[in-house]
Amino acid sequence: MALDRSNTPNDLSAFWMPFTANRQFKKAPRMLVSADGMFYKTADGRDVLDGTAGLWCCNAGHNRPKIVEAIRKQAGELDYAPAFQMGHPVAFELASRLRDMAPAPFEHVFFTNSGSESVETALKIALAYQRAIGQGSRTRLIGRERGYHGVNFGGISVGGIVNNRKFFGSLLTGVDHLPHTHLAENAYSKGQPEHGAHLADDLERIVALHGPETIAAVIVEPMAGSTGVLLPPKGYLERLREITRKHGILLIFDEVITGFGRLGSSFAAEHFGVMPDLITCAKGLTNGVIPMGAVLATKEIHDAFMQGPEHMIELFHGYTYSGSPIASAAGIATLETYKEEGLFERAAELAPYWQEALHSLKGLPHVKDIRNMGLIGAVELEPIAGEPAKRAFAAFLDAYEKGILIRTTGDIIAMSPPLIIEKSHIDQLIGTLADVLKKLH
């Protein structure tokens, strides 16, 4: 059914809004009608401070002139070009800039349209690569509990969020999961927690169970964002890299959230000094303005596919809108904005102030843990007995009414503000959240 716009925003009965928290949306819609800089404007005329960069994606803030103009200009020159057997220079330019921004091992880019598609693409590249090098028995994929890798079938199979999996059947076969890294003894850690590197050793158990010759790839988020900002313990990623390399298993970092300055570096791989074989990204690639994603691959992986006749297809995979001209133009303008304004460096400089502000919430009612890294933070609340997620959702509603936008997952409040945030905005965001928590039932 089509949305009857004559009654918007009061009548949303014909509109099935994805991921609405509950049916109250129809009674009191939280409608955002415009955005600029650090703020959204609501349908009732209020300014709401964006504490989540949209959905982890508007890293340069909203309504950025260079990005807006790039989209407008490109639409008037080349609106679409086929992605198969054809190309256009804007996509090649964006790929070159991504290569220059990425850590040294990554020299090639495969464009997608979202983080979910980036994950599917990386998984397929990993399987096809193993076959291309004569390791066709490597078909098993390893994910992690509480991991989030999008909502397509490959992503939810290697992902570890119960409600994303249980409604959709048996999913992909041949998938195992590592344990998550969220340990109670690490509560209130500032940055990387001390305990838990040993959890990577569970991969050795999985390898022993199935045989290394059956495992194609391991995929993890360097820092799990969507399940509540779960940080990698010191030494954990290094150990994971060591074990995968030892057994000829590819390591995939899902950097859909951590990419493009969120931790103060271009990618989390650079921040942690651990280089995987494939990196997935999206969100901040175009500042959330136009859907686009990408998979970054090393030269070794790329070259393994380039052994056949020139007229043959190297990888039987792709999308109608892969590297579309308008999305590519938006991506170039976004990367230029990041560089010209030094936003990644800015995030690194603001991280200590953000950390101390966030941890000032310790001791407020119902707060059981606080976690942070770069310009990401989480406040975990004690759940209401028998009513999980209700307390955090109540905080979300009150925060919105008080003029700040936060995100909740279960009983965890997550924040990831645009990298253009000022210290005064941090004070407003955390100060308002403190007021919300003090009155929370």
Side-chain angles (χ1 to χ4, degrees):
M1 296 177 65
L3 174 62
D4 180 4
R5 297 181 184 277
S6 64
N7 293 320
T8 304
N10 297 317
D11 183 8
L12 298 180
S13 59
F15 185 35
W16 191 6
M17 182 69 177
F19 307 116
T20 49
N22 62 14
R23 294 179 181 85
Q24 292 178 3
F25 186 91
K26 294 179 180 178
K27 299 177 183 178
R30 296 173 289 281
M31 302 291 288
L32 305 174
V33 297
S34 66
D36 189 72
M38 282 294 303
F39 291 88
Y40 281 108
K41 180 78 72 174
T42 68
D44 56 355
R46 297 184 304 111
D47 288 328
V48 174
L49 178 65
D50 184 3
T52 60
L55 199 60
W56 312 89
C57 53
C58 303
N59 291 359
H62 300 277
N63 192 26
R64 300 312 310 272
K66 180 181 282 285
I67 303 171
V68 172
E69 180 55 31
I71 293 168
R72 182 184 293 113
K73 183 174 182 290
Q74 186 60 51
E77 291 181 359
L78 178 65
D79 53 357
Y80 178 79
F84 303 123
Q85 291 85 42
M86 303 293 290
H88 62 89
V90 190
F92 281 88
E93 174 66 19
L94 177 58
S96 295
R97 296 197 185 203
L98 270 175
R99 179 196 60 199
D100 293 344
M101 169 185 287
F106 298 94
E107 297 187 15
H108 297 277
V109 179
F110 193 109
F111 286 119
T112 70
N113 306 290
S114 68
S116 292
E117 287 186 2
S118 293
V119 166
E120 302 298 299
T121 299
L123 296 177
K124 291 174 73 174
I125 288 175
L127 292 168
Y129 167 80
Q130 297 288 12
R131 185 182 179 109
I133 63 171
Q135 297 287 317
S137 64
R138 292 182 180 267
T139 59
R140 189 172 292 277
L141 300 168
I142 311 299
R144 188 167 60 185
E145 297 168 357
R146 293 188 71 168
Y148 178 71
H149 302 291
V151 293
N152 292 345
F153 271 98
I156 61 176
S157 297
V158 295
I161 302 178
V162 174
N163 286 336
N164 282 12
R165 295 166 52 86
K166 69 181 181 182
F167 295 101
F168 306 109
S170 57
L171 308 179
L172 295 185
T173 59
V175 174
D176 276 317
H177 291 80
L178 294 164
H180 64 73
T181 61
H182 188 39
L183 302 178
E185 57 262 43
N186 288 326
Y188 296 104
S189 293
K190 294 182 177 181
Q192 279 190 274
E194 295 290 337
H195 309 289
H198 67 280
L199 294 168
D201 290 330
D202 198 63
L203 181 57
E204 289 282 21
R205 178 190 62 80
I206 295 174
V207 168
L209 176 64
H210 299 292
E213 71 280 359
T214 70
I215 302 174
V218 172
I219 182 170
V220 296
E221 300 158 276
M223 184 221 70
S226 294
T227 51
V229 186
L230 310 183
L231 306 174
K234 292 178 180 177
Y236 173 85
L237 294 174
E238 292 85 347
R239 180 63 179 144
L240 206 58
R241 175 70 281 189
E242 179 184 343
I243 297 171
T244 52
R245 185 173 286 120
K246 169 185 172 184
H247 295 293
I249 300 168
L250 295 184
L251 179 60
I252 305 170
F253 275 4
D254 184 342
E255 296 222 35
V256 171
I257 284 176
T258 54
F260 305 105
R262 183 52 53 188
L263 301 183
S265 302
S266 298
F267 294 95
E270 180 183 0
H271 178 83
F272 293 114
V274 178
M275 294 300 132
D277 301 290
L278 294 163
I279 290 177
T280 68
C281 61
K283 292 187 184 291
L285 174 55
T286 58
N287 201 45
V289 176
I290 289 191
M292 191 180 209
V295 177
L296 309 182
T298 63
K299 184 177 186 296
E300 178 184 1
I301 290 178
H302 170 270
D303 289 355
F305 292 98
M306 301 300 159
Q307 305 303 316
E310 188 173 328
H311 67 279
M312 292 296 291
I313 296 172
E314 299 89 2
L315 178 67
F316 285 82
H317 176 72
Y319 303 98
T320 299
Y321 300 104
S322 291
S324 79
I326 297 175
S328 297
I332 292 171
T334 297
L335 299 190
E336 287 179 350
T337 299
Y338 292 149
K339 184 176 182 179
E340 290 169 3
E341 300 184 10
L343 293 185
F344 299 173
E345 296 81 2
R346 177 183 178 78
E349 292 169 1
L350 279 173
Y353 190 88
W354 168 258
Q355 174 176 280
E356 294 310 308
L358 194 67
H359 281 268
S360 71
L361 301 173
K362 183 177 181 180
L364 292 184
H366 313 298
V367 174
K368 62 180 290 187
D369 190 15
I370 296 171
R371 302 181 287 278
N372 70 281
M373 182 170 287
L375 284 185
I376 298 181
V379 179
E380 186 164 355
L381 305 179
E382 293 282 359
I384 297 174
E387 296 183 294
K390 185 175 182 179
R391 176 167 282 145
F393 185 65
F396 164 78
L397 293 176
D398 192 29
Y400 176 78
E401 292 302 319
K402 286 181 166 61
I404 61 169
L405 183 64
I406 59 176
R407 175 165 170 71
T408 63
T409 173
D411 276 291
I412 299 169
I413 295 169
M415 291 171 286
S416 57
L419 310 184
I420 63 170
I421 194 168
E422 303 280 353
K423 289 182 178 180
S424 60
H425 296 135
I426 295 176
D427 295 341
Q428 178 184 349
L429 180 63
I430 302 302
T432 304
L433 181 57
D435 292 340
V436 169
L437 295 175
K438 289 173 183 175
K439 299 176 183 177
L440 200 58
H441 295 297

